Amino acid sequence: MSLRRTLLRIAAPAAFLLTGACATSFQANVARFQTMPPPEGQTFTVQAEDPRVQGSLEFQQYASMVSARLAQQGYRPADGPGATLVVTLDYGVDNGHEKVVTTPGIGYGGGFGYGGYGGGFGPGFGYGGFGYGGLGFRGRGRGFAYGWADPFWYQPLGYPEVRSYTYFVSHLDMDIRRAADGRMLFEGHARARSIDDKLSYIVPNLVEAMFTGFPGRSGEDVLITVPPAPKNGQAPINR
C-alpha cells in the first residue's frame, strides 16, 4: 500500500471525529440600558420593528421565545389590547465578510493540523508530526467544516499558506416602552459573529444572550456565552 493511501486511511477517521465534536458555545456582545420597573403584574405585547415581518411564522416563533423569557421574569403576556408594555424586536444577519488567514511556512507538506499529532520532525510532514497549518475554514456558504490541507502538496521552506473563510455578523435589538406614554424602559443590543448565517439558529441564541442576567446593569457591555444545545437541539457553530 502506498504511503499516500496509508495516510488517507488515518486522516479520514480523524476528520470524522473532529467534525462530530465541533459544536461550541455561542458568544455574543450584549449592551443593555434600562430603567425597568420590578414585575408587579404588568402585561406586555411583542411586535416587530419591521411591520412586513409582523405576521410571519418566523417572527412569531422568535416573539414566543421572548414572551416566554419575559414571563419567567414575572411579566404577563397581554390577552388583548391595552398591554402595559410594548416590546419591539429587530434582528438580522449581514451578507458576510471574507477573512484571509496566512499560515507561516516552516516545513514541507500541507499537513493535518497545527502541531498535528505528536511532536518532533516527521519525514516530509513538517513540524509536529502531521504538519503545520492543516485545520481551517474552507469554502463559502452556510455552516462550518474543517478543511484538511493536502499533506502531499509541496510547500517549500519559508513559504506561507493562505486560506480564507466567510463570517457573518448578526444582531438582535430589543426595546421595551411603557404603552401609556411611550417612555423607553429597556434598550438592548446583542451582536455576534459566526460562520453560520441561518437566522433559525442564530436568533434563539441571541435571545438567550439578551436575557442572561436580564435586565442587567444599565450601560454595561458584556460578553455572554451560551452553552451549546443538547445533541438533539439546534445550535449554531460559532467562532
Side-chain angles (χ1 to χ4, degrees):
M1 181 181 293
S2 68
L3 178 60
R4 177 184 177 88
R5 290 183 179 178
T6 301
L7 286 175
L8 287 177
R9 290 183 63 187
I10 296 173
F16 175 79
L17 289 173
L18 286 170
T19 303
C22 61
T24 62
S25 299
F26 185 92
Q27 291 189 326
N29 286 99
V30 179
R32 292 174 290 208
F33 304 85
Q34 60 92 14
T35 56
M36 285 291 290
E40 296 175 343
Q42 299 95 326
T43 59
F44 66 88
T45 184
V46 181
Q47 65 182 26
E49 175 72 24
D50 184 352
R52 294 174 299 178
V53 303
Q54 178 68 38
S56 71
L57 294 176
E58 182 180 25
F59 171 76
Q60 293 303 321
Q61 179 174 325
Y62 304 148
S64 295
M65 295 176 185
V66 171
S67 295
R69 297 309 303 267
L70 284 171
Q72 290 176 358
Q73 298 293 322
Y75 303 98
R76 295 188 297 107
D79 295 329
T84 309
L85 307 173
V86 178
V87 182
T88 304
L89 298 179
D90 182 54
Y91 53 86
V93 61
D94 67 10
N95 293 322
H97 310 266
E98 203 72 18
K99 177 71 173 181
V100 178
V101 179
T102 302
T103 302
I106 60 173
Y108 293 91
F112 288 105
Y114 186 99
Y117 300 94
F121 287 88
F125 304 118
Y127 180 77
F130 284 103
Y132 182 103
L135 291 180
F137 298 97
R138 289 299 177 89
R140 179 185 178 90
R142 299 185 175 186
F144 167 79
Y146 282 96
W148 290 86
D150 187 353
F152 306 100
W153 172 66
Y154 177 76
Q155 182 180 348
L157 183 66
Y159 280 67
E161 181 180 357
V162 179
R163 55 172 63 90
S164 66
Y165 66 93
T166 301
Y167 70 89
F168 303 90
V169 177
S170 54
H171 74 274
L172 172 70
D173 297 323
M174 185 175 77
D175 297 339
I176 302 178
R177 297 177 182 270
R178 193 163 59 193
D181 56 8
R183 178 185 173 186
M184 183 76 76
L185 301 176
F186 179 90
E187 185 178 340
H189 311 281
R191 300 288 184 272
R193 189 176 75 167
S194 67
I195 51 175
D196 191 327
D197 63 346
K198 299 183 184 70
L199 287 176
S200 59
Y201 289 96
I202 294 171
V203 174
N205 284 276
L206 290 174
V207 170
E208 187 70 24
M210 181 72 75
F211 280 95
T212 299
F214 182 88
R217 289 192 292 181
S218 188
E220 187 176 54
D221 193 335
V222 295
L223 178 65
I224 303 294
T225 299
V226 179
K231 290 183 179 180
N232 60 347
Q234 292 184 327
I237 300 170
N238 181 70
R239 289 292 186 274

